[in-house]
């Protein structure tokens, strides 16, 4: 950890009825380019105006096809490029989401390569505009994707982990009160806090499976030129 007082939380951002919304440009990274949040299925017209004021023109949705059908994002006539890059597949006869958080993070590392690579390639493009990345509640799938981008831009893993766990207070997961979410079938589940060990587990898997983080991305179609471009774009 450097002496730049990274533990001080960045200024809070509020978008009406969108949970866990914040700028991923922290600790010397470029602000106003990469944002993260929960889904936009509860976005209000006022929230849409706030997104417009921030310059956000692209939304990358990491949810499954079933989640998008059950809770479609609302745009309220805001012109947004909608990119769907599911980080995990829909649950069916061939795939069931793991029953533990450790299993989920391992599955995200093993199966999420095409999604993460697509997000990296998008941000590396010359015409990339301010972009919002989201999943259902913006802590696990979004957390891993943002972590990879922040690491590519030069943050240390300690800095990335510090930012990662900020989802807990943003979602009320740092209290003793249970927080629930509903899946696409209407079944209620308890939402679990994120922990540094979970992200570390996934990042370790990415690195060991392909030798390095760039190696992992290159194995999923990202070129060295694109990796260099996205790193430069995200740095202040």
């Amino acid at each position: 950890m450097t002496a730049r007082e990274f533990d001080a939380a960045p200024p809070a951002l509020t978008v009406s009825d969108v949970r866990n919304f914040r700028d991923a440009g922290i600790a010397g990274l470029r602000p106003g380019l990469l944002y993260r949040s929960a889904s936009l299925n509860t976005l209000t017209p006022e929230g849409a105006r706030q997104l417009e004021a921030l310059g956000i023109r692209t939304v990358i949705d990491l949810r499954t096809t079933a989640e998008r059908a059950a809770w479609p994002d609302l745009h309220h006539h805001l012109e947004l490029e909608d990119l769907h890059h599911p980080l995990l597949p829909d649950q069916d006869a061939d795939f069931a989401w793991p029953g533990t958080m450790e299993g989920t993070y391992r599955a995200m590392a093993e199966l999420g390569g095409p999604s993460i690579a697509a997000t990296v390639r998008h941000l590396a493009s010359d015409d990339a505009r301010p972009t919002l990345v989201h999943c259902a509640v913006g802590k696990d799938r979004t957390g891993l994707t943002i972590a990879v981008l922040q690491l590519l831009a030069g943050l240390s893993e300690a800095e990335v982990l510090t930012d990662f766990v900020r989802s807990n207070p943003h979602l009320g997961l740092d209290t003793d009160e249970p927080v629930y979410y509903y899946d696409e079938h209407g079944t209620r589940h308890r939402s679990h806090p994120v922990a540094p060990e979970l992200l570390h587990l996934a990042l370790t898997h990415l690195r060991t499976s392909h030798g390095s983080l760039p190696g992992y991305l290159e194995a999923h179609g990202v070129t060295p030129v694109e990796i260099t471009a996205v790193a430069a774009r995200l740095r202040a």
Side-chain angles (χ1 to χ4, degrees):
M1 194 70 66
T2 69
R4 53 188 168 188
E5 297 183 356
F6 180 72
D7 286 336
L13 294 171
T14 300
V15 172
S16 300
D17 287 329
V18 177
R19 295 182 295 168
N20 204 14
F21 183 92
R22 59 194 200 266
D23 195 326
I26 42 81
L29 300 189
R30 179 176 297 170
L33 176 63
L34 179 62
Y35 297 89
R36 56 177 296 171
S37 75
S39 70
L40 303 183
N41 65 299
T42 55
L43 182 71
T44 63
E46 174 60 23
R49 287 190 289 270
Q50 291 164 334
L51 293 181
E52 185 175 31
L54 290 170
I56 294 172
R57 295 297 180 269
T58 301
V59 173
I60 296 178
D61 190 344
L62 306 179
R63 297 177 299 166
T64 65
T65 299
E67 287 174 298
R68 281 167 59 90
W71 304 293
D73 280 352
L74 302 177
H75 293 171
H76 298 290
H77 307 295
L78 180 62
E79 293 186 6
L80 290 171
E81 179 185 24
D82 177 30
L83 302 179
H84 183 212
H85 300 316
L87 198 129
L88 287 174
D90 284 283
Q91 299 193 73
D92 55 26
D94 298 318
F95 176 77
W97 282 29
T100 66
M101 293 303 292
E102 290 80 5
T104 296
Y105 274 75
R106 195 170 290 111
M108 290 195 303
E110 292 174 354
L111 302 174
S115 170
I116 296 171
T119 299
V120 171
R121 286 197 302 270
H122 163 75
L123 289 166
S125 64
D126 291 336
D127 58 350
R129 299 172 292 178
T131 297
L132 171 65
V133 176
H134 81 74
C135 53
V137 293
K139 65 183 180 71
D140 301 310
R141 289 168 285 183
T142 297
L144 177 58
T145 302
I146 294 297
V148 169
L149 291 165
Q150 291 174 332
L151 288 168
L152 288 180
L155 294 195
S156 69
E157 185 163 324
E159 291 171 321
V160 170
L161 291 173
T162 298
D163 190 51
F164 171 70
V165 297
R166 288 191 175 121
S167 286
N168 289 332
H170 278 271
L171 292 166
L173 295 171
D174 57 340
T175 70
D176 292 331
E177 293 296 321
V179 177
Y180 295 100
Y181 71 95
Y182 292 85
D183 66 20
E184 62 270 27
H185 307 294
T187 303
R188 189 174 80 159
H189 301 270
R190 183 165 181 168
S191 190
H192 297 282
V194 294
E197 296 78 14
L198 294 170
L199 181 58
H200 178 73
L201 181 155
L203 292 173
T204 298
H205 186 86
L206 300 189
R207 294 183 180 113
T208 57
S209 62
H210 292 88
S212 66
L213 190 55
Y216 174 83
L217 293 171
E218 290 172 24
H220 291 93
V222 183
T223 68
V225 171
E226 288 172 323
I227 291 172
T228 299
V230 77
R233 180 160 288 137
L234 290 172
R235 293 192 198 102

